[in-house]
Amino acid sequence: MSSVLTVRGGVPLTGRVKVRGAKNLVPKAMVAALLGNEPSVLRNVPEIKDVEVVTSLLQIHGVTVLKDPVTGDLTLDPQNAKTAPSTAIDAHAGDSRIPILFCGPLIHAIGEAFIPDLGGCKIGDRPIDYHLNVLRQFGAVVEKRPGGIHISAPKGLHGTKISLPYPSVGATEQVLLAATRADGITELTGAATEPEIVDLISVLQKMGAIISVQTDRTIRIEGVKELRGYSHRALPDRNEAASWASAALVTRGDIYVAGASQRDMMTFLNTYRKMGGGMDINDDGIRFYHQGGKLNPLVLETDVHPGFMTDWQQPLVVALTQAEGVSIVHETVYENRFGFTEALVRMGANIQVHRECLGSVPCRFGQRNFLHSAVVSGSTQLKGTDIDIPDLRGGFSHLIAALAATGTSRVTGIDVINRGYERFTSKLEGLGADFDVQNSRKSTPAAQISR
Ligand code: EPU
């Protein structure tokens, strides 16, 4: 059952939203609980689809997951972990990309893992070759089976030297989750160092792991025989915070993002300021606002941390349609993350996408026919239209474009947004957005929440 939003644009979003634990950390910390010999407690857990998927996958593997009805904190007890029926695992095929991170913890807990075919946003090919190569280097045997991949380690997992061809977030996490209880020392070079990875390392250290991170993208893990449980508060979702910050600029609004953390968003904050966005940084959150004058165009390149995060790109491109002049955006992390601009062009934006690397440094996608650079000319008045949401960040971007546009937009496929934005329709309502939610199957209003 899918929902449809009817959005009447032109209202500046004003008010306060709260961001909770990061989508790109929380499900992984939940998987890490499998490595312990006693229960773990995870706090600041958002109600999003990936948390549901991982809860279910853990439960079918015998992990007890209890949710505090008041705080939403999770207690995860792995002491009865067991092999899951393949039909139960298959039911999660295509739901998420997180299941690939179950490999190491399941091998340590029960000696084998079956991973269903993965889901996640269609923003490029998103292969898992780095993950499988890493696992093989630890001594795992990887077999393709109908509906997924079977992984075993007849001789256990052994520490090793690994060099990643690109600082992949997921592959770095794969190494961390496999290496902490592997026999011996693992040295990973070319690692990703995103704040969510550092938070996962904090979780593992609380469990008893020995992990050091050097400034040259080298991570060294000394394997230990046993890990205990952890008690951890997940770091806040900097990607959701940046999305609301862009929404404030696009709609000429003023949004206080409670929970936003300056430390994890420095590169975004510099960019926002260069564009002319207003911000007041407090201990418990950040106020983002349109200052009334013109917005400045930018030359921007996405990159791995500490560069400008790819997940910030799509909402910010909508804001760039409102800047005076020509902006250039070079996407170097995913080869296909500009598909969402097609709907923006239909709404009146002036955006051309190019195969060439329009940034300062040629990237992996330069000579390979991927439309991975964009030229945005502004400012343009956006007009409402019909939109079918393609992926998580692209979908949020379409939504804020519709909220800024003149006229009415009909937005389908909004359930994709629930994957990463907790209760986003309630948050929009609190910010004064003018919209209705309908259930598309019955096509009668299910929840009238317009103002
Ligand atoms: N890559 C490979 N082979 C692999 C793994 C990755 O070629 O085996 C490539 C990818 O195709 C991509 C690049 O390496 O071009 C980087 O991918 P990475 O592994 O870093 O991404 P990920 O772990 O799959 C996470 C986030 C993404 C975020 C990226 C980059 C989660 C669940 N997802 O994905 O979040 O964009 O890191 O920071 O943590 C989002 O939140 O909207 C989102 C897509």
Side-chain angles (χ1 to χ4, degrees):
M1 194 153 26
S2 175
S3 306
V4 180
L5 281 194
T6 304
V7 178
R8 289 169 289 279
V11 182
L13 296 183
T14 309
R16 177 186 168 96
V17 293
K18 181 165 175 49
V19 294
R20 294 211 287 168
K23 160 190 150 299
N24 290 349
L25 175 274
V26 167
K28 300 159 187 181
M30 292 171 70
V31 176
L34 255 175
L35 290 164
N37 58 10
E38 59 179 358
S40 290
V41 177
L42 186 59
R43 300 186 299 282
N44 206 21
V45 177
E47 288 173 15
I48 53 172
K49 174 89 186 297
D50 275 355
V51 170
E52 276 173 38
V53 172
V54 174
T55 298
S56 172
L57 276 170
L58 286 170
Q59 284 171 334
I60 61 179
H61 284 95
V63 178
T64 310
V65 183
L66 295 177
K67 181 174 170 177
D68 185 296
V70 179
T71 60
D73 295 351
L74 297 180
T75 302
L76 307 121
D77 185 350
Q79 290 174 98
N80 296 316
K82 59 174 197 294
T83 302
S86 57
T87 45
I89 299 178
D90 278 350
H92 292 287
D95 277 352
S96 162
R97 290 185 65 75
I98 308 294
I100 192 70
L101 296 176
F102 274 73
C103 296
L106 278 179
I107 289 175
H108 288 303
I110 56 176
E112 61 171 351
F114 181 71
I115 307 303
D117 292 332
L118 301 181
C121 289
K122 302 282 177 280
I123 47 184
D125 249 4
R126 307 195 78 183
I128 52 167
D129 51 335
Y130 302 167
H131 293 256
L132 301 184
N133 288 341
V134 158
L135 288 162
R136 288 190 185 103
Q137 279 183 262
F138 278 106
V141 177
V142 179
E143 268 176 83
K144 177 78 190 114
R145 292 199 183 158
I149 301 166
H150 183 265
I151 294 135
S152 57
K155 296 182 186 160
L157 299 180
H158 297 275
T160 179
K161 280 197 174 206
I162 299 172
S163 179
L164 290 178
Y166 183 79
S168 150
V169 169
T172 301
E173 292 160 342
Q174 185 74 262
V175 171
L176 289 168
L177 292 167
T180 43
R181 274 184 56 193
D183 181 27
I185 294 171
T186 298
E187 190 180 271
L188 172 65
T189 51
T193 57
E194 269 62 6
E196 292 78 13
I197 290 177
V198 176
D199 213 39
L200 182 63
I201 292 174
S202 308
V203 166
L204 294 167
Q205 190 178 49
K206 284 175 174 171
M207 298 177 82
I210 302 170
I211 303 173
S212 56
V213 183
Q214 290 158 24
T215 48
D216 62 351
R217 296 196 177 278
T218 302
I219 300 182
R220 194 166 182 277
I221 305 131
E222 295 180 35
V224 294
K225 287 218 165 2
E226 261 198 330
L227 293 174
R228 38 180 198 270
Y230 65 80
S231 170
H232 188 75
R233 182 178 173 80
L235 88 168
D237 198 314
R238 64 196 175 114
N239 297 339
E240 181 178 355
S243 298
W244 291 116
S246 294
L249 277 193
V250 174
T251 65
R252 305 181 73 84
D254 187 336
I255 303 179
Y256 190 80
V257 185
S261 154
Q262 175 188 18
R263 194 189 45 202
D264 302 333
M265 297 182 72
M266 289 209 159
T267 306
F268 180 83
L269 298 177
N270 287 337
T271 305
Y272 199 78
R273 182 162 279 158
K274 283 197 243 173
M275 253 190 100
M279 70 180 83
D280 298 335
I281 302 170
N282 295 336
D283 288 348
D284 71 342
I286 305 177
R287 175 186 169 211
F288 294 99
Y289 54 98
H290 195 296
Q291 306 200 83
K294 290 180 175 173
L295 297 177
N296 308 314
L298 289 176
V299 176
L300 183 71
E301 195 158 59
T302 66
D303 204 349
V304 293
H305 187 76
F308 190 91
M309 172 90 187
T310 171
D311 299 337
W312 301 333
Q313 178 261 103
Q314 289 158 302
L316 201 81
V317 162
V318 186
L320 290 175
T321 69
Q322 304 308 303
E324 294 292 329
V326 177
S327 297
I328 296 174
V329 183
H330 182 206
E331 169 62 59
T332 76
V333 180
Y334 290 112
E335 67 273 29
N336 191 16
R337 215 168 191 177
F338 281 126
F340 79 107
T341 59
E342 185 267 330
L344 298 182
V345 170
R346 278 197 286 114
M347 295 177 85
N350 189 344
I351 305 175
Q352 282 118 31
V353 284
H354 297 268
R355 293 186 165 77
E356 294 76 18
C357 294
L358 296 185
S360 52
V361 187
C363 77
R364 297 172 294 153
F365 311 132
Q367 304 301 322
R368 297 171 51 205
N369 270 335
F370 297 119
L371 293 166
H372 73 292
S373 295
V375 177
V376 185
S377 307
S379 67
T380 43
Q381 175 62 57
L382 300 174
K383 297 179 288 294
T385 188
D386 286 356
I387 305 167
D388 189 32
I389 279 179
D391 64 70
L392 177 67
R393 309 287 169 203
F396 188 91
S397 308
H398 288 162
L399 204 53
I400 60 177
L403 287 161
T406 53
T408 301
S409 299
R410 188 172 174 276
V411 188
T412 50
I414 61 162
D415 298 324
V416 173
I417 299 181
N418 291 323
R419 272 197 47 234
Y421 295 89
E422 182 181 39
R423 297 202 305 273
F424 78 96
T425 47
S426 316
K427 288 180 183 172
L428 285 179
E429 185 192 20
L431 294 172
D434 184 2
F435 68 99
D436 305 316
V437 184
Q438 289 148 329
N439 178 306
S440 67
R441 201 170 63 186
K442 293 183 186 157
S443 69
T444 52
Q448 220 3 288
I449 55 169
S450 68
R451 341 180 108 220

